[in-house]
């Protein structure tokens, strides 16, 4: 039974609700955009492991326009580092329209890389001359999309002939020392960047790579580093939707970027890349149906970032009593899931209660196994708190064993665990279903250990 139609049907259903909305108009910012077909409507969703759900006209091409901005910003960050990029472009929401000739009064830098001033500056930060920059950008976009992309020369030429505003911005940037390169060629490269053709399917894959922390969902290739992705998505969240950024984040809650050709793409960390496409724009310069369909989808699938399950839901802690083959009592604390700060804090409380019980036992009977064999991951603060907790308990107990077959704690120095013993042997993992800790626990003992 193929169950894909269940999710596919949800997407189609969500689209149907916006299908008859013909509000808005084609962008008049670029003459050639007035010529495009206003009817295509698409919704594409890509999971972080590369499954795609595409509805409507998901394979119709359109120029990427401003949706190129977050990806070129990421390329600049990757190429010259975040400190140097921040010397040229700030990360503050402007509330302005995309093409505003504005700089932050305090810093003399563009507000953020999502409005044109910041995007043109970010383009100029990509190393190389105009041709090399465009090559880098086209290459990155193609790798993200998972196929070779090309440029729409007709829309490029049309925008190039009507580039006064962007040229004005570039000259302002050079006059203020934000860019060094020739304004004409920077704008030429920037317009080429905006003319790259994509489909909703492509863009949802590109965003899914962001959602996946920079690892391509299909090829598994590391295309962007996690720190760059975090910075890029932060700016999408605060500034990606121009002057409707506040409305977008409160109602839809997905870091996103729109473009004047009618695309909107969103990246939901650890979950999905989502793209909608419909060329008619509202007064704010974003796709009318795109906004609508994102809103419906966010509602329907509970996608709002702030609706995310609390991190404590990622962890299950089982505390059990058991005994080894010699009939000696052990306590077993098994941790399933992921240990981040909130989970680690709960483990500490659990271990406190448990070690209180120890004081009722004779110290030689106080034995503890902390079983991490079903723990998926642990972050640095989780590691640090857990090590400190077992170190303290080990001072009071007869034996404390941490079972860590995956080596989640490897990055910590052995000394951090004090008297607690770290074991990695998979074959000694206690049987979880059993309340009694059988033979395997006994085998945890290092050779020659005296009890
Ligand atoms: N190429 C367009 C410009 O720079 C992109 C604007 C947009 O998509 O918001 O004016």
């Amino acid at each position: 039974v193929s169950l894909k139609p269940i999710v596919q049907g949800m997407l189609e259903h969500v689209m149907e609700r916006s299908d008859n909305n013909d509000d808005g108009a084609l962008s008049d910012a670029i003459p050639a955009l007035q010529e495009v077909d206003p009817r295509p409507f698409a919704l594409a969703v890509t999971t972080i492991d590369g499954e795609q759900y595409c509805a409507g006209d998901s394979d119709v091409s359109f120029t990427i326009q401003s949706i190129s901005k977050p990806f070129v910003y990421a390329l600049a960050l990757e190429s010259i580092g975040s400190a140097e990029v921040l010397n040229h472009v700030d990360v503050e929401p402007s509330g302005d329209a995309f093409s505003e000739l504005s700089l932050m009064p305090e810093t003399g830098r563009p507000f953020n890389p999502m409005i044109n001033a910041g995007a043109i500056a970010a383009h100029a930060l990509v190393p190389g001359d105009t041709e090399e920059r465009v090559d880098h950008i086209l290459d990155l976009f193609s790798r993200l999309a998972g196929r070779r992309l090309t440029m729409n020369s007709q829309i490029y030429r049309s925008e190039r002939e009507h580039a006064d505003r962007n040229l004005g911005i570039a000259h302002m940037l050079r006059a203020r020392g934000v860019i060094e390169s020739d304004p004409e060629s920077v704008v030429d490269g920037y317009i080429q960047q905006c003319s790259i053709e994509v489909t909703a399917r492509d863009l949802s894959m590109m965003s899914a790579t962001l959602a996946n922390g920079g690892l391509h969902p299909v090829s598994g290739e590391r295309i962007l580093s996690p720190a760059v992705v975090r910075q890029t998505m932060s700016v999408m969240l605060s500034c990606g939707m121009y002057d409707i950024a506040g409305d977008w984040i409160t109602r839809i809650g997905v870091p996103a970027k729109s473009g004047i050709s009618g695309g909107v793409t969103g990246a939901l960390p650890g979950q999905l890349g989502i793209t909608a496409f419909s060329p008619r724009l509202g007064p704010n310069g974003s796709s009318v149906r795109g906004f609508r369909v994102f809103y419906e989808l966010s509602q329907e699938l509970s996608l709002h970032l702030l609706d995310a399950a609390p991190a404590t839901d990622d962890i299950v802690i089982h505390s059990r009593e058991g005994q080894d083959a010699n009939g000696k009592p052990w306590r077993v604390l098994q941790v399933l899931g992921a240990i981040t700060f909130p989970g680690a804090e709960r483990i500490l409380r659990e271990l406190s209660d448990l070690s209180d019980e120890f004081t009722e036992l004779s110290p030689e009977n106080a034995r503890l196994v902390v079983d991490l064999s079903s723990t998926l991951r642990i972050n640095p603060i989780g590691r640090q708190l857990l090590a400190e907790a077992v170190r303290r308990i080990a001072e009071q107990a007869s034996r404390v064993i941490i079972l860590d077959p995956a080596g989640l704690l490897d990055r910590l120095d052995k000394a951090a665990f004090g008297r607690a013993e770290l074991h990695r042997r998979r074959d000694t993992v206690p049987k979880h279903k059993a309340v009694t800790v059988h033979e395997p626990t006994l085998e945890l003992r290092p050779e020659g250990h005296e009890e």
Side-chain angles (χ1 to χ4, degrees), residues 97-372:
F98 69 93
S99 58
E100 205 54 41
L101 273 98
S102 58
L103 295 174
M104 273 186 78
E106 301 83 11
T107 64
R109 295 188 282 258
F111 280 83
N112 65 69
M114 301 295 110
I115 59 169
N116 285 16
I120 292 170
H123 175 92
L125 292 175
V126 174
D129 60 22
T130 306
E131 206 184 313
E132 288 163 341
R133 276 182 195 131
V134 174
D135 278 352
H136 276 143
I137 292 168
L138 194 57
D139 182 57
L140 172 70
F141 289 13
S142 300
R143 281 161 68 212
L144 290 166
R147 71 177 183 103
R148 194 69 205 158
L149 301 175
T150 54
M151 221 120 62
N152 181 318
S153 53
Q154 191 201 347
I155 291 181
Y156 158 75
R157 274 198 305 276
S158 176
E159 184 171 7
R160 191 70 187 82
E161 283 161 18
H162 297 85
D164 301 307
R165 210 174 166 92
N166 283 332
L167 284 167
I169 291 173
H171 280 284
M172 168 187 79
L173 292 175
R174 188 150 83 159
R176 298 296 290 269
V178 178
I179 63 171
E180 284 167 14
S181 316
D182 164 46
E184 293 276 343
S185 51
V186 168
V187 170
D188 187 68
Y190 167 74
I191 292 174
Q192 292 189 53
Q193 150 193 334
C194 291
S195 311
I196 294 173
E197 279 196 313
V198 287
T199 63
R201 183 192 294 276
D202 293 331
L203 275 179
S204 76
M205 184 64 80
M206 293 170 75
S207 290
T209 308
L210 295 181
N212 199 27
L215 281 180
H216 194 275
V218 175
S219 70
E221 183 194 356
R222 165 143 319 278
I223 301 184
L224 298 165
S225 62
V228 162
V229 169
R230 189 177 84 169
Q231 170 119 353
T232 303
M233 288 174 71
S234 302
V235 179
M236 288 168 79
L237 187 62
S238 55
C239 318
M241 298 303 288
Y242 304 134
D243 41 358
I244 57 161
D247 196 23
W248 181 273
I249 185 60
T250 49
R251 290 172 61 188
I252 295 164
V254 176
K257 185 72 204 84
S258 65
I260 52 168
S261 52
V264 192
T265 200
L268 206 54
Q271 299 185 43
L272 303 167
I274 306 166
T275 301
F277 169 58
S278 167
R280 291 196 191 87
L281 311 181
N284 48 52
S286 297
S287 170
V288 175
R289 286 187 191 178
F291 189 104
R292 192 72 226 156
V293 86
F294 252 95
Y295 175 72
E296 301 276 359
L297 193 73
S298 172
Q299 294 274 311
E300 182 99 10
L301 309 186
S302 297
L303 298 182
H304 197 295
L305 207 56
L306 298 179
D307 281 342
T312 42
D313 284 4
D314 293 347
I315 190 170
V316 177
I317 305 169
H318 291 312
S319 173
R320 289 170 176 150
E321 284 173 33
Q323 46 179 236
D324 60 28
N326 300 329
K328 291 184 176 149
W330 283 79
R331 291 303 308 245
V332 181
L333 195 86
Q334 189 200 356
V335 183
L336 290 79
I339 308 176
T340 55
F341 175 76
E345 189 274 339
R346 269 181 44 191
I347 294 175
L348 259 53
R349 267 185 284 151
E350 204 68 49
L351 284 173
S352 294
D353 293 351
L354 212 142
S355 60
D356 284 348
E357 288 169 28
F358 278 0
T359 54
E360 291 159 22
L361 298 164
S362 54
E364 66 275 15
N365 276 332
R367 297 179 195 80
L368 169 70
V369 179
V370 177
D371 178 359
L372 303 183

